[in-house]
Amino acid sequence: MTDQTQLSRPETTRPASESTHGAGPHGENRRTEPGARGRTTIADGVVAKIAGLAARDVPGVQGMGGGFIRGMGTVRERVPGAGSRSVTSGVKVEVGEVQTAVDLSIIVEYGFPIVELAGDVRTEVIAAVERMTGLEVVEVNITVTDVKLPDEEEEEEQAPERRVV
């Protein structure tokens, strides 16, 4: 799975009786299918962003990514001008012409039933990706990489003082 792969997807077509895009040289109606005028390409990164945002919106999902990925995100947040955590952190996708598959790594808030939460995440991700891209989501694999305990939040919120300006 690579973020640089861009595969094209044929446009959906509708019956010719519904498609009238102008008249021909002799006054007759020229009917062309939308796919005949070009194609739409959806990059892996687009699907990854949609999936990441949808997963984060589910109550009980504290964050995304695994240990190393989370650590790098924390470092990047503390570097001035480096920006915030990427919405695609913890998300991998594979995009084909008409289908896509999504792999997610999530951190769950303590107290949420993991199996139910994973089902909710799966449902939200499928709905968002299919609605926004028109691609069929064939699978959403979820790996729970951590459980966020209530006392861990307090420890992380107290960032160490900066020694250098």
Side-chain angles (χ1 to χ4, degrees):
M1 291 192 263
T2 163
D3 275 344
Q4 297 174 343
T5 304
Q6 294 184 3
L7 298 175
S8 63
R9 179 173 173 269
E11 293 288 339
T12 56
T13 58
R14 55 185 171 165
S17 62
E18 294 179 25
S19 177
T20 56
H21 297 289
H26 301 290
E28 75 276 2
N29 282 337
R30 186 181 72 207
R31 300 178 198 284
T32 58
E33 299 298 322
R37 295 184 178 195
R39 62 180 172 208
T40 302
T41 301
I42 301 173
D44 289 12
V46 172
V47 176
K49 282 183 180 183
I50 294 167
L53 289 170
R56 282 176 175 77
D57 284 346
V58 176
V61 175
Q62 195 280 329
M64 304 282 293
F68 179 74
I69 294 169
R70 283 176 52 206
M72 291 304 294
T74 302
V75 168
R76 184 169 52 183
E77 285 176 347
R78 292 184 180 161
V79 174
S84 61
R85 241 180 232 176
S86 170
V87 294
T88 59
S89 176
V91 182
K92 292 181 183 175
V93 299
E94 187 174 329
V95 180
E97 289 187 27
V98 294
Q99 297 179 326
T100 187
V102 180
D103 295 327
L104 302 171
S105 297
I106 66 171
I107 297 114
V108 175
E109 290 180 30
Y110 179 78
F112 282 82
I114 292 173
V115 174
E116 290 177 29
L117 179 61
D120 292 344
V121 169
R122 192 171 284 112
T123 299
E124 292 301 316
V125 168
I126 291 170
V129 170
E130 288 184 347
R131 178 177 47 82
M132 292 183 71
T133 67
L135 295 169
E136 176 190 6
V137 179
V138 293
E139 64 183 19
V140 176
N141 300 309
I142 299 172
T143 302
V144 177
T145 58
D146 200 358
V147 173
K148 187 73 167 187
L149 302 175
D151 58 336
E152 286 179 329
E153 290 177 357
E154 294 171 13
E155 292 172 10
E156 285 187 13
E157 286 176 7
Q158 298 173 355
E161 289 185 33
R162 296 184 63 182
R163 296 179 359 175
V164 226
V165 179

